[in-house]
Amino acid sequence: MPHSATPQTGTPQTVTPQTGTPQAVTPQAVTPQALSVQTAPAQTPTVQAVDPQTVTSQAVTSQTAAPPTATPQTVTAPHVAPLADARASGVRLVRDLVAHVPSFQGAYDSHVFRQGDVLPHVFFWDVVQGTVRSYLAEGEAADWRRILDLLEERCGRGDAAVDEVIVTSFLGDLPSPHEPGHGIVLQLGPVLAARFGRMRPRG
């Protein structure tokens, strides 16, 4: 009987035909050393500590530096009498006149009642009227002489406020040449006559 051939049981070799298929390349594993080299952090610049109080004071000093200012010049104003002093002088003149010529007491009381205070220029309108009436009235007490005497003496003291009241509100309101009582201007004392002549050269 012919012996049957027993096939070899060795591991068959596979023959891979050479083709154009590219061989797969296994990527190289990235080692921790390489990663450390690639991702090495950049050097951080060293920041010096600065005292905040120093910075703040410097900033405030630079911002609030005041610009140079010019030195103001002192101007000396001419001396002007305060209004309160001028008014006080006028009020004192009125009260002294009422005390010197008591016949004006009624006019004074009425004036204060109407005005609520003493207004020298306003009150002297009553003084002018009373003076002229006294000058024109024969046989009555010669109050006009006492009035002129007091005003002459006060006008010669050099008080500007008193002079303003007398010149403006007495001499200026005396009768004109065509009015009754104008003759009283001839009875003025030297100080009052000089002021009257400068104010009313035509009488």
Side-chain angles (χ1 to χ4, degrees), residues 175-201:
S176 299
H178 62 280
E179 294 178 334
H182 175 68
I184 196 174
V185 302
L186 301 177
Q187 306 299 324
L188 298 176
V191 176
L192 292 179
R195 303 292 177 85
F196 181 84
R198 288 195 296 269
M199 184 180 187
R200 292 171 52 176

Side-chain angles (χ1 to χ4, degrees), residues 82-93 95 116-120 161 165:
L83 294 178
D85 293 344
R87 183 180 180 282
S89 296
V91 172
R92 185 164 51 251
L93 172 65
R95 291 174 176 170
D117 200 353
V118 179
L119 305 180
V165 174

Side-chain angles (χ1 to χ4, degrees), residues 18 27 43 66 70 85 107 130 147 163 171 173 181 188 195 202:
Q18 295 181 356
Q43 294 182 355
D85 293 344
I147 296 169
D163 289 354
L171 298 179
D173 289 336
L188 298 176
R195 303 292 177 85
R202 297 183 180 180

Side-chain angles (χ1 to χ4, degrees), residues 20 25 81:
V25 178

Side-chain angles (χ1 to χ4, degrees), residues 58-131:
Q58 292 177 353
V60 171
T61 301
S62 61
Q63 293 178 3
T64 61
T69 55
T71 302
Q73 298 180 356
T74 303
V75 179
T76 303
H79 176 70
V80 179
L83 294 178
D85 293 344
R87 183 180 180 282
S89 296
V91 172
R92 185 164 51 251
L93 172 65
V94 169
R95 291 174 176 170
D96 289 348
L97 178 63
V98 173
H100 190 66
V101 185
S103 60
F104 281 122
Q105 185 64 54
Y108 175 82
D109 294 340
S110 177
H111 169 82
V112 173
F113 179 78
R114 293 193 312 269
Q115 305 297 336
D117 200 353
V118 179
L119 305 180
H121 286 276
V122 177
F123 180 74
F124 257 78
W125 170 254
D126 293 332
V127 174
V128 171
Q129 302 306 311
T131 302

Side-chain angles (χ1 to χ4, degrees), residues 127-143:
V127 174
V128 171
Q129 302 306 311
T131 302
V132 174
R133 283 197 303 267
S134 175
Y135 174 75
L136 293 175
E138 297 181 1
E140 293 187 6
D143 286 343

Side-chain angles (χ1 to χ4, degrees), residues 7-68:
Q8 299 179 356
T9 62
T11 302
Q13 298 179 354
T14 303
V15 179
T16 303
Q18 295 181 356
T19 62
T21 303
Q23 297 180 357
V25 178
T26 302
Q28 297 180 356
V30 179
T31 63
Q33 292 82 1
L35 183 60
S36 299
V37 172
Q38 294 177 1
T39 61
Q43 294 182 355
T44 304
T46 303
V47 179
Q48 296 181 355
V50 180
D51 186 359
Q53 294 183 353
T54 303
V55 175
T56 303
S57 61
Q58 292 177 353
V60 171
T61 301
S62 61
Q63 293 178 3
T64 61

